[in-house]
Amino acid sequence: MNDSEQAPLISDEGEVGFVDYQDFVSKEPFQFVSGGSIPELTLRYETYGHLSAAKDNAILICHALSGDHHCAGVHGIEERKQGWWNFMVGPGKPIDTTRYFVICSNVLGGCQGSTGPGSINPATGRPYNLDFPKLTVQDMVKAQSLLIDSFGIDRLHAVIGGSMGGMQTLQWAIDFPQRVGRYIALACGARHTAQAIAFNDTGRQAIISDPEWKGGNYDPQEGPAQGLAVARMMAHITYLSDVGMESKFGRKRRSGDQSREHFEVEFEVESYLRYQGASFVTRFDANTYLYLTKALDRFDLHSPESLDVTLQAVTAPGLVVGFTSDWLYPPQGNREVVEALLRLGKDATYAELAMDFGHDSFLLRAPQLYELMHRFLSR
Amino acid sequence: MNDSEQAPLISDEGEVGFVDYQDFVSKEPFQFVSGGSIPELTLRYETYGHLSAAKDNAILICHALSGDHHCAGVHGIEERKQGWWNFMVGPGKPIDTTRYFVICSNVLGGCQGSTGPGSINPATGRPYNLDFPKLTVQDMVKAQSLLIDSFGIDRLHAVIGGSMGGMQTLQWAIDFPQRVGRYIALACGARHTAQAIAFNDTGRQAIISDPEWKGGNYDPQEGPAQGLAVARMMAHITYLSDVGMESKFGRKRRSGDQSREHFEVEFEVESYLRYQGASFVTRFDANTYLYLTKALDRFDLHSPESLDVTLQAVTAPGLVVGFTSDWLYPPQGNREVVEALLRLGKDATYAELAMDFGHDSFLLRAPQLYELMHRFLSR
């Protein structure tokens, strides 16, 4: 058998097409792990494909820090921005919407329609801002479980996510073992390293020290745009890799002209990053950035008990994928989770993909990743 | 012969003791590579040891971005802060002040007494600020050559430096081959990667977007402290390493209490970095930070001709040292310089030290580095 003569099992050519978001609203008070609560809860989400009569073909996709519920398809003729995982989700794609009913929600604490620090507190008629309770990955997952309840789904075929989405995925497998058929956690480990915390805190300081932050009480249409842009520029560097940036930008200059004004854009990489910073502030809320990065920093499967004790709850088979060039969540952190699962006799497997694009590798068109995921989902 | 029974060849126990800085002043106009000029020039410097009658025992030490002329000893009984390379420079130390006359000057463009953007422009009576000419590593080296002239020294026994100091060192070997007896360049390559430029530009954006920057025209006692602190926090992470931060800080919390207020210091690493940011602004000028980081980004021995053409001018023997955990200036960048020198038939050698402390490894107490430097200087 010659691999090169085989037709590919999967492709990324099918399209979800037009899709609209919906809002799940719970009017019950929601309790946070921290002890805080909010009187009601909205999660904005999208779905792709059709839920089977037996309600046994649902896949929950959990997004990363700067992601949202718009994971596949386009919103309409006018608004044709593809979902952030459009390569991965669609008819005939690795997460095949002709077979699976795919749900992707904006996280609790988010700023794209789900309840978060920028939402109006019904008790006061004003945004929560820093009155929003302390947020953890466990809270995000608990809120998603209410959304899954609303569909009458007892057990998900799979939970899948990368980065912060990977942490949610692991938390699902721990907190709701009976509701998770299998899980795929990409580009994430059991906890942040000191370096990852350091980058996040620097980003938070950029926001908090921007006078427009105003102690968190900025007007909804204003806010610490400069600080948030700087935080995003820095974070974006950590999502890429030295090798990836070198091949994409190297030392290419914006123009042949080296006599530009002081500190204006000179190198292509500066132009790219400044654009990333400036565009981020048009779609993201600074307080949400503070809350989500804190939730990431606090996520720690080694605590309060050891990693092995924490993972004892898991029953579903799991696939964990690390990326060789991911220096924000280095592969050994991904591998450590599977090593603990295997020590516990769990059904778990680890794959390490040699890709040059750093932490963001899981978001990229990558046939070797497609194949892994497709096979694991059909197992 | 048993190595462990040998007395160490070198130690770091001798002390320079009290030392005072001096100012070199040139009243001649100074021309920059960019074409700009300033009417006069001051370089603040310190010296340790004694210049021989033949004036053939002088070593120039070039400092890194956030360094200064205070490289060894203490300033007095009251001000006992040791120089930044006190381990390395002193009687009986690797750079032995009983043998060598050591000179260390604050760079042109600096903010510790040498002429820089914060200096008064004699033509206007006001600080240069952004009227200060575009600065390159070549300009720094040319200014230092005037200081060396002032001692009547024709030829330096050695030029030594790490990071930005390493770039100056290489530039000395290229621009003044007849004046350099040997050189040691630590933790630096032939040019910045895209990633290094990206971090620098993010730091510059943090400064420039701070409203207190005021287009560069802040009052000398004021300025963009918040932006500069954020820039420093981020840069400081890049000077360390994942492994080094993990062993030093890990996920240690500031106190056992996890119920601290939102976004206050929670982890030890946050406390450390915030302190680094806050203390930096008390000793460093924001415009100097902009100018020096730009000089680093523009430094490129591959331009305007190839690396081999640029290095053709070098005649002195050279030692280049890379550090395995330096991810800001990765070892392959250091190695590349020596590979080109060897291709050209030059006397050059490369050492790669396995140290876990990232880019800042060259600043640390490290017997294997002492030995290398001591031997190479005595060769």
Side-chain angles (χ1 to χ4, degrees):
Chain A
M1 193 170 72
N2 185 338
D3 276 0
S4 66
E5 288 174 9
Q6 288 191 295
L9 276 170
I10 49 166
S11 79
D12 58 9
E13 288 174 10
E15 286 302 331
V16 162
F18 299 142
V19 66
D20 216 348
Y21 65 76
Q22 298 174 68
D23 285 338
F24 161 71
V25 179
S26 162
K27 292 288 186 186
E28 299 291 310
F30 182 88
Q31 283 289 136
F32 287 68
V33 171
S34 65
S37 70
I38 51 176
E40 58 181 51
L41 172 75
T42 298
L43 290 188
R44 183 159 292 178
Y45 66 96
E46 291 182 7
T47 67
Y48 323 102
H50 300 282
L51 185 58
S52 64
K55 299 190 173 185
D56 61 357
N57 71 332
I59 290 179
L60 175 69
I61 292 180
C62 304
H63 69 73
L65 173 60
S66 64
D68 58 23
H69 52 280
H70 182 42
C71 152
V74 293
H75 284 157
I77 303 246
E78 297 298 314
E79 200 187 335
R80 299 192 67 84
K81 189 186 172 192
Q82 288 185 339
W84 55 267
W85 229 6
N86 200 55
F87 293 155
M88 193 65 86
V89 179
K93 295 190 182 184
I95 300 173
D96 186 348
T97 53
T98 63
R99 293 179 64 183
Y100 303 116
F101 176 64
V102 177
I103 308 166
C104 184
S105 88
N106 183 227
V107 289
L108 176 66
C111 53
Q112 317 271 11
S114 293
T115 305
S119 303
I120 299 298
N121 179 351
T124 63
R126 289 179 293 112
Y128 288 103
N129 295 337
L130 299 202
D131 291 334
F132 196 78
K134 281 189 187 177
L135 178 70
T136 63
V137 171
Q138 284 186 277
D139 298 316
M140 300 175 194
V141 164
K142 182 179 163 191
Q144 286 162 346
S145 77
L146 302 177
L147 168 64
I148 302 308
D149 290 343
S150 75
F151 289 103
I153 297 169
D154 288 332
R155 188 163 184 270
L156 292 158
H157 178 75
V159 180
I160 305 175
S163 194
M164 186 177 87
M167 294 180 190
Q168 293 165 68
T169 298
L170 294 174
Q171 198 70 57
W172 261 98
I174 293 163
D175 288 355
F176 299 99
Q178 72 290 0
R179 303 193 71 177
V180 177
R182 72 205 69 203
Y183 63 92
I184 305 177
L186 309 160
C188 82
R191 57 179 174 187
H192 266 191
T193 61
Q195 190 185 65
I197 295 172
F199 277 120
N200 270 350
D201 196 54
T202 304
R204 286 190 293 265
Q205 289 300 106
I207 290 166
I208 287 172
S209 67
D210 183 330
E212 297 302 317
W213 184 59
K214 298 178 180 172
N217 295 313
Y218 49 86
D219 285 337
Q221 298 313 311
E222 300 179 353
Q226 306 282 16
L228 183 58
V230 167
R232 174 63 172 176
M233 287 178 70
M234 184 191 63
H236 201 85
I237 302 171
T238 70
Y239 303 152
L240 306 177
S241 75
D242 194 19
V243 170
M245 293 184 88
E246 204 59 22
S247 70
K248 187 165 181 182
F249 304 106
R251 295 179 55 84
K252 283 200 284 283
R253 282 190 155 79
R254 187 67 186 288
S255 71
D257 175 16
Q258 294 196 26
S259 65
R260 299 177 72 88
E261 284 303 298
H262 282 321
F263 318 124
E264 279 183 9
V265 164
E266 177 172 346
F267 295 96
E268 284 287 354
V269 67
E270 296 173 331
S271 169
Y272 171 80
L273 270 189
R274 291 190 194 183
Y275 173 80
Q276 292 295 329
S279 66
F280 189 63
V281 304
T282 66
R283 66 183 172 90
F284 216 84
D285 172 61
N287 284 338
T288 280
Y289 196 85
L290 298 177
Y291 273 84
L292 295 188
T293 55
K294 259 299 184 194
L296 294 178
D297 289 349
R298 288 177 178 147
F299 178 77
D300 185 358
L301 300 184
H302 291 261
S303 172
E305 306 277 359
S306 70
L307 181 59
D308 289 48
V309 171
T310 306
L311 293 174
Q312 189 60 64
V314 174
T315 58
L319 168 64
V320 175
V321 183
F323 297 88
T324 49
S325 59
D326 184 350
W327 59 278
L328 183 62
Y329 296 164
Q332 59 268 32
N334 298 250
R335 208 183 301 131
E336 177 191 50
V337 173
V338 176
E339 285 168 355
L341 288 164
L342 293 176
R343 272 197 303 274
L344 295 166
K346 309 288 183 188
D347 181 353
T349 186
Y350 175 64
E352 194 164 299
L353 296 185
M355 289 176 64
D356 276 347
F357 301 97
H359 181 61
D360 270 357
S361 292
F362 78 96
L363 292 170
L364 302 180
R365 206 183 264 272
Q368 69 268 49
L369 179 59
Y370 295 174
E371 194 66 28
L372 263 182
M373 298 200 31
H374 170 76
R375 297 272 191 186
F376 187 77
L377 288 176
S378 328
R379 211 174 80 153
Chain B
M1 195 168 74
N2 183 337
D3 275 1
S4 65
E5 289 174 9
Q6 286 193 298
L9 277 169
I10 49 168
S11 80
D12 57 11
E13 289 174 9
E15 286 302 330
V16 162
F18 300 141
V19 66
D20 216 347
Y21 65 76
Q22 297 175 70
D23 285 338
F24 161 72
V25 179
S26 162
K27 292 287 185 185
E28 299 292 310
F30 182 87
Q31 283 290 135
F32 288 68
V33 171
S34 66
S37 69
I38 51 178
E40 58 181 51
L41 171 75
T42 298
L43 289 187
R44 182 158 293 177
Y45 67 95
E46 291 182 6
T47 67
Y48 324 102
H50 299 281
L51 185 58
S52 63
K55 299 190 174 185
D56 60 358
N57 70 331
I59 291 179
L60 176 68
I61 292 179
C62 304
H63 69 73
L65 172 59
S66 63
D68 58 23
H69 51 279
H70 182 41
C71 152
V74 294
H75 283 159
I77 302 242
E78 297 298 314
E79 201 187 335
R80 300 194 66 83
K81 189 185 171 192
Q82 288 185 340
W84 55 267
W85 229 7
N86 199 56
F87 294 154
M88 192 66 86
V89 180
K93 294 189 184 185
I95 301 174
D96 185 349
T97 53
T98 63
R99 294 179 63 181
Y100 303 116
F101 176 65
V102 177
I103 308 166
C104 183
S105 88
N106 184 226
V107 289
L108 176 65
C111 52
Q112 316 272 11
S114 293
T115 305
S119 303
I120 299 297
N121 180 348
T124 64
R126 289 178 294 114
Y128 288 103
N129 294 338
L130 300 201
D131 290 334
F132 196 78
K134 283 189 186 176
L135 179 70
T136 64
V137 171
Q138 284 186 279
D139 298 315
M140 298 174 196
V141 165
K142 182 178 162 193
Q144 285 162 348
S145 77
L146 302 178
L147 168 64
I148 302 306
D149 290 344
S150 76
F151 289 103
I153 297 168
D154 288 332
R155 189 164 184 270
L156 293 158
H157 178 74
V159 180
I160 305 175
S163 193
M164 186 177 89
M167 296 180 188
Q168 293 166 67
T169 297
L170 294 174
Q171 198 70 56
W172 261 97
I174 294 163
D175 289 355
F176 299 99
Q178 71 290 1
R179 303 192 71 177
V180 177
R182 71 204 69 201
Y183 63 93
I184 304 177
L186 308 161
C188 81
R191 59 180 173 185
H192 267 192
T193 60
Q195 189 184 67
I197 295 171
F199 277 120
N200 271 349
D201 196 52
T202 303
R204 286 190 293 266
Q205 289 300 106
I207 291 167
I208 287 172
S209 67
D210 183 329
E212 297 301 318
W213 184 59
K214 298 178 179 173
N217 294 313
Y218 50 86
D219 284 335
Q221 298 313 311
E222 300 177 354
Q226 306 282 14
L228 183 58
V230 167
R232 173 63 173 177
M233 286 179 71
M234 185 192 62
H236 201 84
I237 302 171
T238 71
Y239 302 153
L240 305 177
S241 75
D242 195 18
V243 170
M245 293 182 89
E246 204 60 21
S247 69
K248 188 166 180 183
F249 305 107
R251 295 178 56 84
K252 283 200 285 285
R253 283 188 154 81
R254 189 67 187 288
S255 69
D257 175 17
Q258 294 197 26
S259 63
R260 299 177 73 86
E261 285 303 299
H262 284 319
F263 318 125
E264 280 184 7
V265 164
E266 178 174 346
F267 294 96
E268 284 287 354
V269 68
E270 297 173 330
S271 169
Y272 173 80
L273 272 187
R274 292 190 195 183
Y275 174 79
Q276 292 296 329
S279 65
F280 189 62
V281 303
T282 66
R283 66 184 172 90
F284 216 83
D285 172 62
N287 283 338
T288 280
Y289 196 84
L290 298 176
Y291 272 84
L292 295 188
T293 56
K294 259 299 185 195
L296 294 178
D297 289 348
R298 287 176 177 147
F299 178 76
D300 186 358
L301 300 184
H302 292 260
S303 173
E305 306 276 359
S306 71
L307 182 60
D308 289 47
V309 171
T310 306
L311 293 174
Q312 189 61 65
V314 174
T315 56
L319 168 64
V320 176
V321 182
F323 296 88
T324 49
S325 60
D326 185 349
W327 59 278
L328 183 63
Y329 296 164
Q332 60 267 32
N334 297 250
R335 209 183 301 131
E336 178 192 50
V337 173
V338 176
E339 284 167 358
L341 287 163
L342 294 177
R343 272 197 304 274
L344 294 166
K346 308 289 184 187
D347 181 353
T349 185
Y350 175 64
E352 195 165 298
L353 296 186
M355 288 176 66
D356 276 348
F357 302 97
H359 182 62
D360 269 359
S361 292
F362 79 94
L363 292 171
L364 301 180
R365 204 184 265 271
Q368 68 267 50
L369 179 60
Y370 295 174
E371 193 67 29
L372 264 181
M373 299 202 28
H374 171 75
R375 297 270 191 189
F376 187 77
L377 288 175
S378 324
R379 210 175 81 154

